[in-house]
């Protein structure tokens, strides 16, 4: 059988266009709870047009990665964190939580089956996309009584090339907000992302690659960049410190963010979570106090920010090139994921045994 949805790439993987051959599926009903988990070919779905999730956005997702280690093993990076966040997202959307063990079993199953799609190329990884959506055909404004869980995967690439560390230009969004207090900014629900595309497009029209989100109340405090968390490298009296905005409820608690805070502290940098205003970002760059800024997330790992555009002018971070702390932390994270650096936190869940 040929699987027409799985599209193994010939020209090196992009993001989300080289799906592997299989997917895991499970169903939730009030009578049976979660049941019927099975793995099968990645195929189109048959959906009722009145499926509640399509109309009212009861849809949550996750993003995590499997890596081929230096010893040939394949491991998934901190999937327990994604399993817990998936539960938090489901709770926020009045959806049933998928047990952590079911989440991990699905991940193990798909990775064990499709890891062959992942070459030895250290710049490639297997991006895993868990998804849960409301399937009841009913247009009443209330939570669905049926849900579907899916897990699919694609090969992601390009994180070791020269391009991977190319600094991005960002536009501070003054018009749009990503998240509001009491909203859904701290969970991964589909409804957060569609509305962000128009701001992303405005950034592109202003000649920038990414959008930076400010808090919605004062439009003063820096929150995130696109779908990634932000870090500031600052030269303080006690040496180099790493600063990231605290989790106020309107930021997505990134697994990469958490991992980098841990790795940075272990490396000996002072780390802190504090508010940073746009004004402060600009001023401290001019003073040479903030020397590097980078964004982080599962998809793009660590991405340096080179230039910032705001309504009343542009500025450059450092000399606009990737700085030493950015490079070091990025290398440390990638080495940890591939088993080339110590893993005291037990972050690697080995699914496929070493081959060498
Ligand atoms: C997923 C996501 C992140 C990064 O989270 P990771 O767990 O590190 O991948 C950051 N911000 C937003 C808005 C996100 O959706």
């Amino acid at each position: 059988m040929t699987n027409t949805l799985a599209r193994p790439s010939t020209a090196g993987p992009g993001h989300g266009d080289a799906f592997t051959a299989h997917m895991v599926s499970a169903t939730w009903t009030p009578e049976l709870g979660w049941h019927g988990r099975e793995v099968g070919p990645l195929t189109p779905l048959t959906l009722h047009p009145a499926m509640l999730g399509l109309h009212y956005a009861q849809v949550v997702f996750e993003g995590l990665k499997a890596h081929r280690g230096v010893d040939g093993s394949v491991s998934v990076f901190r999937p327990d964190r994604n399993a817990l966040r998936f539960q938090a997202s489901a709770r926020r959307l009045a959806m049933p939580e998928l047990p952590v063990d079911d989440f991990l079993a699905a991940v193990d199953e798909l990775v064990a089956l499709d890891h062959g799609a992942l070459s030895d190329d250290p710049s490639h990884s297997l991006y895993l996309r868990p998804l849960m959506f409301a399937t009841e055909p009913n247009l009443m404004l209330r939570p669905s009584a049926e849900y579907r869980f899916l897990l699919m995967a694609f090969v992601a690439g390009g994180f070791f090339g020269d391009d991977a560390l190319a600094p991005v230009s960002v536009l501070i969004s003054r018009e749009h907000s990503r998240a509001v207090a009491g909203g859904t900014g701290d969970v991964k629900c589909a409804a957060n992302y569609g509305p962000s595309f128009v701001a992303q497009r405005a950034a592109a029209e202003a000649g920038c690659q990414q959008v930076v989100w400010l808090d919605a109340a004062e439009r003063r405090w820096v929150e995130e960049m696109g779908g990634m968390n932000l870090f500031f490298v600052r030269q303080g009296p006690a040496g180099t410190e790493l600063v990231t905005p605290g989790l106020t409820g309107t930021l997505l608690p990134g697994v990469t963010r958490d991992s980098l805070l841990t790795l940075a502290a272990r490396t000996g940098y002072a780390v802190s979570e504090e508010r940073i205003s746009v004004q402060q970002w600009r001023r401290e760059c001019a003073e040479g106090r903030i020397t590097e800024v980078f964004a982080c997330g599962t998809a793009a790992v660590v991405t340096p920010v080179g230039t910032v555009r705001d309504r009343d002018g542009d500025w450059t971070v450092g000399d606009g090139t990737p700085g030493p702390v950015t490079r070091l932390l990025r290398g440390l994270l990638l080495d940890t994921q591939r088993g080339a650096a110590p893993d005291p936190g037990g972050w690697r869940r080995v699914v496929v045994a070493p081959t060498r």
Side-chain angles (χ1 to χ4, degrees):
M1 189 185 79
T2 47
N3 187 331
T4 52
L5 281 195
R7 295 163 54 201
S9 74
T10 44
H15 192 80
D17 59 358
F19 288 97
T20 64
H22 299 95
M23 68 177 181
V24 181
S25 169
T27 303
W28 187 92
T29 58
E31 304 77 38
L32 298 174
W34 284 108
H35 65 278
R37 193 178 75 239
E38 58 177 21
V39 60
L42 181 83
T43 57
L45 307 172
T46 301
L47 302 171
H48 194 290
M51 183 188 92
L52 197 145
L54 276 178
H55 295 260
Y56 305 139
Q58 248 194 324
V59 183
V60 297
F61 67 96
E62 265 303 326
L64 65 166
K65 275 181 175 174
H67 306 267
R68 193 168 296 282
V70 288
D71 60 2
S73 66
V74 178
S75 64
V76 186
F77 191 67
R78 308 190 73 182
D80 51 319
R81 300 295 295 233
N82 299 89
L84 291 171
R85 194 169 66 190
F86 199 49
Q87 291 187 328
S89 300
R91 276 198 304 277
R92 180 63 181 83
L93 278 276
M95 299 165 81
E97 295 172 34
L98 184 72
V100 169
D101 286 348
D102 288 356
F103 183 101
L104 295 176
V107 164
D108 288 355
E109 220 166 7
L110 190 63
V111 172
L113 202 58
D114 282 354
H115 73 90
L118 188 56
S119 71
D120 252 350
D121 185 330
S123 74
H124 291 182
S125 55
L126 199 59
Y127 182 94
L128 304 167
R129 168 52 61 87
L131 175 75
M132 190 204 297
F133 53 95
T135 51
E136 186 189 353
N138 191 317
L139 296 182
M140 291 290 286
L141 281 170
R142 55 141 176 84
S144 171
E146 291 168 18
Y147 297 88
R148 183 93 182 265
F149 166 76
L150 296 176
L151 174 67
M152 65 203 89
F154 62 81
V155 177
F159 299 120
F160 268 47
D162 287 344
D163 281 3
L165 261 173
V168 295
S169 52
V170 299
L171 176 74
I172 310 275
S173 182
R174 295 286 176 176
E175 192 183 348
H176 300 103
S177 300
R178 191 191 80 85
V180 297
T184 55
D186 59 347
V187 299
K188 264 182 138 64
C189 62
N192 284 348
Y193 300 87
S196 75
F197 296 159
V198 67
Q200 180 59 48
R201 190 154 65 190
E205 281 164 6
C208 297
Q209 292 156 290
Q210 286 284 339
V211 57
V212 164
W213 303 109
L214 302 182
D215 77 291
E218 295 183 65
R219 293 195 175 279
R220 180 173 173 206
W221 307 104
V222 178
E223 295 201 326
E224 299 197 58
M225 180 190 95
M228 304 173 81
N229 294 116
L230 277 170
F231 276 89
F232 299 81
V233 179
R234 191 194 252 160
Q235 306 309 322
T240 299
E241 52 181 83
L242 204 65
V243 181
T244 192
L247 300 175
T248 55
T250 51
L251 277 77
L252 196 286
V255 178
T256 317
R257 174 188 181 277
D258 182 80
S259 305
L260 289 170
L261 282 173
T262 304
L263 291 174
R266 203 182 284 153
T267 306
Y269 296 125
V271 297
S272 72
E273 300 177 56
E274 60 184 75
R275 297 203 296 190
I276 293 208
S277 68
V278 184
Q279 206 187 4
Q280 191 183 351
W281 181 356
R282 185 175 191 156
R283 192 186 61 237
E284 293 192 12
C285 277
E287 293 167 355
R289 203 163 166 239
I290 290 176
T291 51
E292 303 173 39
V293 177
F294 60 86
C296 69
T298 295
V301 192
V302 166
T303 303
V305 175
T307 54
V308 190
R309 172 158 287 187
D310 196 9
R311 56 188 173 194
D312 48 6
D314 299 357
W315 68 94
T316 302
V317 179
D319 62 1
T321 65
V325 180
T326 303
R327 288 173 182 279
L328 184 143
L329 288 174
R330 182 170 176 282
L332 204 51
L333 179 62
L334 289 167
D335 282 351
T336 306
Q337 290 170 335
R338 297 179 56 238
D343 181 23
W347 288 348
R348 296 175 71 232
R349 181 180 175 91
V350 178
V351 176
V352 180
T355 55
R356 51 184 179 260

